[in-house]
Amino acid sequence: MRALAPIVIVSLITGCGPSATTTPSESLLAAGAPCPVTTAPPTTVTPPPSVGTGPNPTLTFTAGPGNFLYGNDALIVILPNDGTLHPSDPARGLPAGVKFPWWRGARGDLTVATRRLDANTTPQAADVPGGYGDTGFQVSGLNFPAPGCWQVTGTISGRAVTFVVNVVGR
């Protein structure tokens, strides 16, 4: 997995979408269709300076090389330019998952739902640990039981950010 180092917010890619379902669903992609990964929109917005809470109150975000920021004024994520996520090494404690960064501009509990788009599966619960304060940086563990095309939706204070990634096998 590429390192996604939070440093400084340089730009914010706007966009959000519908919430993911929480029940098994039929494949939403035609057989053999490419995964419609989320790509960086052409329009960027520079957000106002933000100070987070929690263990690193001055920590802010940057996408870094090979990545881009995606979200809205309530929630921002760092996504890879090629739309591909690589599961973590099982020895690190996430055998089918990815340690995933979020930036919370709104207060509230972050919830995350996943849904596979290219096969029938049950959405997987994400691990969203406490201790990160009310706003600012929040890490999560996204769980993907199989490689494939996955839709991820993060929601905070009724505002959602939805994106699609291609999860590849180890």
Side-chain angles (χ1 to χ4, degrees):
M1 183 175 107
R2 291 187 184 123
L4 301 175
I7 301 171
V8 176
I9 293 181
V10 252
S11 65
L12 165 67
I13 308 301
T14 59
C16 61
S19 295
T21 63
T22 57
T23 58
S25 62
E26 292 182 25
S27 174
L28 300 176
L29 293 178
C35 183
V37 297
T38 300
T39 58
T43 307
T44 61
V45 175
T46 302
S50 177
V51 175
T53 61
N56 298 305
T58 60
L59 182 71
T60 54
F61 242 33
T62 188
N67 300 292
F68 65 96
L69 296 173
Y70 184 79
N72 56 40
D73 60 345
L75 199 55
I76 304 166
V77 297
I78 299 174
L79 295 177
N81 288 343
D82 68 0
T84 302
L85 292 182
H86 302 269
S88 299
D89 181 343
R92 296 184 68 196
L94 289 170
V98 175
K99 189 172 182 180
F100 197 82
W102 303 82
W103 185 265
R104 300 163 300 147
R107 294 182 188 280
D109 293 330
L110 172 65
T111 60
V112 182
T114 63
R115 175 173 63 168
R116 189 156 175 205
L117 301 179
D118 59 348
N120 297 334
T121 62
T122 300
Q124 300 294 302
D127 177 28
V128 183
Y132 285 87
D134 294 332
T135 60
F137 181 72
Q138 170 75 57
V139 73
S140 69
L142 301 182
N143 299 299
F144 303 105
C149 187
W150 288 84
Q151 179 183 62
V152 179
T153 298
T155 305
I156 192 165
S157 297
R159 302 280 310 277
V161 169
T162 298
F163 55 91
V164 175
V165 290
N166 183 33
V167 177
V168 297
R170 273 218 138 279

